[in-house]
Structures are given as structure tokens and as C-alpha cells.
Amino acid sequence: MTVPTAGDTMTDHRYLIIGGGMVADAAARGIRELDPDGSIGIISEDVDRPYARPALSKKLWTDPAFDWDEKVDLHTEETGAAFVLGTAVTSIDRAAKTVTTADGQSYGYERLLIATGGKPRGLPGLASSERVLDYRSASDYRHLRAFADAGAHVVVVGGGYIGTEITAGIVLNGARVTLVDPDEVVGGRTFPDDLARAFQQRFVDHDVELRLGRRVSSGAEHEGGVTLTLDDGSVVEADAVVVGLGIEPATQLASDAGLTVADGIVVSSTLRTDDDSVFAAGDVAEYPDRILGRRRVEHVDNAQHQGRQAGRNLADADETYDYTPMYYSDVFDMGYEAVGQLSTSLHTVEDWQEPTVTGVVYYLDDDQLVRGVLLWNVWDKTDEARKVLAEAHALTPDMLRGRITP
């Protein structure tokens, strides 16, 4: 690990990456596919080197043999990258091709990749702490694991992707969980009603206390715990709180540098920003998906594939990112893979082999075009799902059932 001292004024790298997540690892490896020698620097607010983030809410809770060093640490040091951990980049000077960090150090680059991810949405009255966890880092996992192993009462706020996974993980490890969800049914914004109710029942079966249709109106941390007041006036006391309300893409650094920002940092099909020397990838990048149009994706499959392509393009490959990513989730004995947009604001066509157990759900927009495919306990069919999305203009709703089979 390279850590600058107070006497350092400038460290130059051919390739500089802002952000230390899975995009950084994939990008460093992508660079090395084409350039075995160019220096790589990675500056990260995290205190850990890049690691497999999905494990924080999946395998680390469900598989006692899942080893951090072998399975979670991505060993990005194999690329020869130099790491600066535990500090944030505060500014980019595109003219000088330098960045400055919060501790006053400067780093020069020839090519820059912005992979800053997102900032978690918080709760009113509560700052992040050892008891109030945004659950975006390995440090958060270590703190939460200590509470769970002690059989503490944990409140999870938000019944989305991360919230449901971590609720299941904590409960399966013997701790008590209360899930506070603004939806009236867990999964109600994502799954058709019958499926959402079957999904919710698994939480009931595992003795999760559900506080549905509720939001946190205020919170206070005190010695020994956290108090949450919900919007109906009720109070929930907890040993720790996990906040799973999603993220806002961390675009301020790019915006301050004069780069175009919309929902994320706007990039071309080769992942370049307005500046030919600056690229963006991962949660923070808004890119033109070849099937689904301009979008921003917050899942690991995109981080890995887009990160690798960004790294190759940093090293002058000039290749189009033409991959449409998938994502997946495992909760209790249920699992799914998906491609595209899943939302009950869209129309759905359901094709079940066994209702709410095994089947495919298609999500269609108002023009009857398929925009998302949910593969519920149906595996290794994401390429077929991509094909459906690519051929959406030629498909009518009555042509969907039976199109993808387990």
C-alpha cells in the first residue's frame, strides 16, 4: 500500500481511479489486459482494499465457511496498483490533470476514472455511527455482525434490495429484527401482488416484526441504543439500525469539475465524459445501454463488466460498452435473477410453472414493450431475458408466456 506522508507534494500515475469498490478492481485488471506496466493509483474513502460487496448482505451471513481472504478480498494488489485509503478526493483540476484529497495531497494523472459510487440516504436526526449503519462498507458489516452475534435487536429501515437481504441474514443468525417499510407489502413496489405477499410471508415465518406503511419521522442515538419515532407516532427501540433507503449518485466532484451530470455522470458508449482524459463507471455513471437506452445501474454485474471496459478504454482500447447487466438476490429460500427494470408501475405478464415458486414475470411499459424480466427461481436464463428485451418491438404480450422456461 502506498500512503503519502506530509512531505509529499505530488504523486503521478498514468492511470488514476477515484473510488475503491469493485469498479476499481475490475478497471485495474482491465488496464493490465493491455498495459502491463503503466502505474495505477486508487484513492478510496474506504479503509479496506476492494472487496466483493454482495457478500456483505449474502454469503457472509449464510455460509460459515465463506472466508474473507479467499472469497471477499479481491486482491487488487495483484495488479500492482498503489492504494491511498481512508481519504476523499475533494477536487479535480482537469487543466492540470491533478486531483486533491481531503488531507491536502495532490495526485497527477494521464487518464482518470471516476468510480465514486453513491452516498446513502439517511434518516432524520441520525448520523452514521457504529449503531446507525448505512451498510455500504465492510466496516458496517463488522459492526452489524457484532450486534447480530450478540443477539441484539436490530431495526432495518427500508424493504428494498439491501433491506430484505440483510434482514434475512440477521434473523438466520439468531438476532431479532424489526423491518420498517414504507410499502404496505414487502416487495410491493417490485413484485406482482401475489408474489409480494408470498415474499412477505417468509419474513413472517421467520418471526421478523413488520412495521409496514411506515416511515421514520425522527431518530435519536443514546448510550446503549437508538430510538426511532415513526410517522404514526409509535416508537421503536433498537440496539442498532440499518438504513436501507438507497443511494444518491456521488456526482458533486464531477459537477464541480465542469463535467456533464444528469441522473449520473453522463458518459459515451466508451464510458468517456466530456473530457477525453476522464472516464466514469459503476453506480455513478449514466451510460447508453444498447438495449434499454440511457440509464444508470447500481448492481455488481454492471460494476464488474463496466469497470473492466473502462479500464481497457483508459488503456486506449476505445471499445463500446455493449453489455446489458443482470442482478440477483437471495432471501431465505427464495432467489431470483433479473434484467432491466422491475417496478409495479409497469404492466406485468406472469408465466408461472408453480405460482410464486418458479416462473418468469415480464414488465411492460405503456407501449407494451418489455422493459424488464424477473426470473424467479429460474437460473441461467439471463441471456434469454436479454434477447426478449432486445426483440421487444417484435413481441406482443400474448407471445411471452412459454418464451423462457426453467
Side-chain angles (χ1 to χ4, degrees), residues 13-65:
H13 293 287
R14 173 154 173 70
Y15 310 103
L16 187 61
I17 301 170
I18 305 174
M22 297 186 75
V23 171
D25 173 77
R29 295 179 188 280
I31 289 167
R32 286 292 178 246
E33 291 175 12
L34 300 177
D35 183 349
D37 301 315
S39 63
I40 303 171
I42 298 174
I43 304 175
S44 174
E45 294 183 48
D46 208 329
V47 298
D48 293 283
R49 290 182 316 210
Y51 47 85
R53 194 176 297 272
L56 303 183
S57 61
K58 292 183 173 73
K59 280 283 194 176
L60 285 170
W61 295 94
T62 60
D63 185 351

Side-chain angles (χ1 to χ4, degrees), residues 38-321:
S39 63
I40 303 171
I42 298 174
I43 304 175
S44 174
E45 294 183 48
D46 208 329
V47 298
D48 293 283
R49 290 182 316 210
Y51 47 85
R53 194 176 297 272
L56 303 183
S57 61
K58 292 183 173 73
K59 280 283 194 176
L60 285 170
W61 295 94
T62 60
D63 185 351
F66 203 72
D67 179 75
W68 182 276
D69 186 62
E70 291 186 12
K71 304 287 189 179
V72 186
D73 188 331
L74 296 174
H75 294 289
T76 314
E77 74 279 1
E78 296 169 350
T79 66
F83 298 89
V84 179
L85 302 177
T87 190
V89 172
T90 55
S91 65
I92 300 169
D93 185 332
R94 290 165 49 201
K97 289 194 171 182
T98 63
V99 307
T100 301
T101 57
D103 55 3
Q105 300 296 318
S106 293
Y107 300 85
Y109 64 85
E110 293 181 38
R111 297 287 170 82
L112 179 69
L113 173 62
I114 304 174
T116 44
K119 300 297 183 184
R121 298 184 181 97
L123 292 174
L126 288 174
S128 298
S129 71
E130 292 186 4
R131 290 185 181 273
V132 181
L133 306 171
D134 297 323
Y135 215 72
R136 295 287 295 173
S137 70
S139 294
D140 289 337
Y141 165 74
R142 290 189 281 264
H143 289 309
L144 184 58
R145 188 80 211 205
F147 283 111
D149 288 348
H153 176 211
V154 178
V155 174
V156 177
V157 182
Y161 185 80
I162 292 296
T164 52
E165 285 192 347
I166 200 57
T167 294
I170 299 168
V171 166
L172 291 173
N173 282 270
R176 176 186 163 209
V177 181
T178 298
L179 176 61
V180 179
D181 188 353
D183 289 345
E184 296 294 339
V185 179
V186 179
R189 295 187 188 186
T190 306
F191 308 133
D193 187 62
D194 284 353
L195 179 56
R197 293 186 184 281
F199 185 66
Q200 175 176 291
Q201 186 60 42
R202 296 299 202 285
F203 293 86
V204 174
D205 294 343
H206 285 83
D207 297 321
V208 175
E209 180 185 355
L210 300 177
R211 304 295 292 272
L212 302 176
R214 299 272 68 90
R215 299 177 185 274
V216 175
S217 58
S218 65
E221 183 176 352
H222 49 82
E223 186 176 353
V226 182
T227 300
L228 299 179
T229 301
L230 307 187
D231 56 3
D232 62 353
S234 62
V235 174
V236 183
E237 299 286 351
D239 296 299
V241 175
V242 176
V243 185
L245 297 175
I247 64 168
E248 297 289 345
T251 58
Q252 191 62 51
L253 187 65
S255 180
D256 289 346
L259 300 172
T260 300
V261 170
D263 180 45
I265 302 171
V266 175
V267 296
S268 69
S269 62
T270 58
L271 307 176
R272 289 182 190 268
T273 67
D274 310 289
D275 187 324
D276 284 346
S277 299
V278 182
F279 296 71
D283 295 357
V284 77
E286 181 184 321
Y287 73 99
D289 187 293
R290 69 181 181 88
I291 296 175
L292 296 169
R294 188 160 284 282
R295 63 198 296 244
R296 190 176 60 80
V297 177
E298 297 175 6
H299 293 287
V300 61
D301 193 42
N302 184 60
Q304 291 173 312
H305 284 83
Q306 199 174 73
R308 173 180 176 266
Q309 189 61 70
R312 288 178 60 83
N313 288 349
L314 284 165
D316 294 325
D318 196 33
E319 297 165 342
T320 296
Y321 179 61

